[in-house]
Amino acid sequence: MLPVAARAWFAALCFGVMGQAQSVAFTFDDGPSLTATPRLSPQERNAAILAALKKHQVSAALFVTLGNGADRPEGAALARAWGEAGHAIGNHTVTHLDLNAKGTTLQQYQDEILACDRVLRALPGYRPWFRFTFLREGNTPEKRDGMKAFLKAQGLRNAQVSLDTSDWRLNAALIAVLTQHPGADVAPIRGAYLAHLRQRAEAYREISRQLFGRDIPQVLLLHHNLLNALFLEDAIQLFKDLGWTPIRPEAAFQDVVYALDPQRPSPGQSLLISAARSLGVQPKGWERLLDDGDEEIRLLKRQGVLPASFE
């Protein structure tokens, strides 16, 4: 039987409107990047992602890693374009430090958040939102408690993620293929990506129902990368075909689940995985959710799209 505190916490999880339609908020980490990629320039990648969002009338959020480009005029212009298009802008540190790393101090991590915030506050669309890099909130009680106190003192929301994906790994596969063969057919990677999104969406929806008997507004984690510059329009259409309604991140964060603060027995994973494990619940199909798109990478190797040596 769950302890009293855990039972009260679980009751809070179950609070909500039963039978409401499934919704999803699109959020993107690590942008805008000025790194060169095959096929599209940084400006073209940014424009393609924004065009897909506009076509589908999706209001999203970009969590800026300042050192990827927004600390330079040409990168700041790309971030500004998000705010001017009506999207939210949040903080994702300067250099994407890992707070769980032994060499990362709490002060160093907090200094990066403050440095990033000083730049972002001047941009249209700025929100006082912070997303932990790697979704890792500290490997010691001192770091975890220190960050909670810091975010509260700075008035920053922990921008939790419920629907985690490994789009970053499929992006690495895409770049590897196009670097080796610029004219390669990327349809197999597109197919693997959409299959990956569908599997994750259905699995996390099932976990929300298993945990608290209802659909929650899911907060989807994607990245500002070539993969989404090429295939975001298809990805949004996939969710619409599943019957999911895109909503603003602000609307998703209003759900009580995003105010919860479970222990993190699964650092670097979805809020739902941590919530389940904190409650002693083993979600159905959780094994596929803890890998990094391994099934899709294996498929691409079997198809001959990726070499066996690809990691």
Side-chain angles (χ1 to χ4, degrees):
M1 187 173 184
L2 290 172
V4 172
R7 291 202 303 272
W9 185 64
F10 187 76
L13 280 169
C14 294
F15 175 79
V17 179
M18 304 299 290
Q20 61 187 6
Q22 179 62 69
S23 58
V24 58
F26 283 76
T27 70
F28 298 81
D29 283 7
D30 297 354
S33 173
L34 294 179
T35 301
T37 62
R39 294 205 177 176
L40 299 178
S41 69
Q43 291 75 19
E44 289 169 335
R45 292 196 306 270
N46 198 60
I49 294 173
L50 289 174
L53 294 170
K54 181 178 181 180
K55 179 176 179 178
H56 286 276
Q57 298 181 317
V58 174
S59 179
L62 175 67
F63 287 87
V64 173
T65 302
L66 191 67
N68 284 354
D71 55 348
R72 284 156 277 173
E74 61 271 32
L78 301 184
R80 177 174 292 275
W82 280 71
E84 291 175 345
H87 303 294
I89 303 290
N91 189 321
H92 202 45
T93 76
V94 176
T95 65
H96 210 278
L97 288 169
D98 182 356
L99 185 57
N100 280 23
K102 291 182 179 179
T104 301
T105 67
L106 179 62
Q107 187 64 56
Q108 182 183 15
Y109 198 77
Q110 292 174 352
D111 286 346
E112 285 215 0
I113 296 171
L114 293 173
C116 185
D117 223 52
R118 283 193 291 270
V119 174
L120 298 187
R121 284 180 180 273
L123 295 177
Y126 169 79
R127 303 286 191 279
W129 298 346
F130 172 72
R131 176 163 292 162
F132 281 91
T133 47
F134 303 100
L135 302 183
R136 296 171 186 160
E137 299 185 5
N139 61 324
T140 65
E142 290 75 18
K143 286 182 179 179
R144 291 191 294 271
D145 293 344
M147 279 304 301
K148 290 175 186 176
F150 172 80
L151 293 179
K152 183 176 181 180
Q154 296 298 323
L156 292 171
R157 165 187 278 278
N158 180 355
Q160 303 267 26
V161 170
S162 62
L163 207 173
D164 188 19
T165 77
S166 297
D167 69 324
W168 58 270
R169 192 168 184 213
L170 289 165
N171 181 68
L174 174 67
I175 290 176
V177 168
L178 291 177
T179 299
Q180 190 71 26
H181 305 287
D185 178 11
V186 295
I189 298 177
R190 171 188 174 276
Y193 179 39
L194 296 180
H196 175 76
L197 289 180
R198 181 171 189 140
Q199 183 271 327
R200 292 292 174 99
E202 291 175 343
Y204 281 118
R205 186 181 196 184
E206 178 59 30
I207 291 174
S208 73
R209 290 173 169 178
Q210 183 184 359
L211 277 177
F212 31 90
R214 66 182 177 96
D215 291 329
I216 67 165
Q218 298 280 352
V219 174
L220 170 66
L221 170 57
L222 299 176
H223 290 82
H224 188 285
N225 55 26
L226 179 64
L227 185 77
N228 285 307
L230 294 181
F231 306 132
L232 179 59
E233 187 174 329
D234 298 316
I236 297 172
Q237 189 61 53
L238 168 69
F239 281 96
K240 288 186 173 181
D241 290 344
L242 290 173
W244 292 38
T245 301
I247 61 172
R248 300 174 67 88
E250 290 96 331
F253 286 141
Q254 289 175 8
D255 192 284
V256 66
V257 70
Y258 297 104
L260 297 172
D261 184 28
Q263 294 300 307
R264 287 283 182 174
S266 299
Q269 301 295 336
S270 158
L271 171 66
L272 297 184
I273 297 291
S274 289
R277 290 191 165 185
S278 293
L279 291 166
V281 176
Q282 181 157 301
K284 298 174 184 176
W286 64 270
E287 299 92 342
R288 280 287 305 277
L289 300 176
L290 300 186
D291 68 19
D292 287 323
D294 292 344
E295 185 65 27
E296 290 76 25
I297 295 298
R298 283 192 290 266
L299 172 63
L300 291 170
K301 288 181 178 180
R302 290 196 300 269
Q303 292 174 336
V305 178
L306 291 174
S309 59
F310 179 82
E311 297 295 333

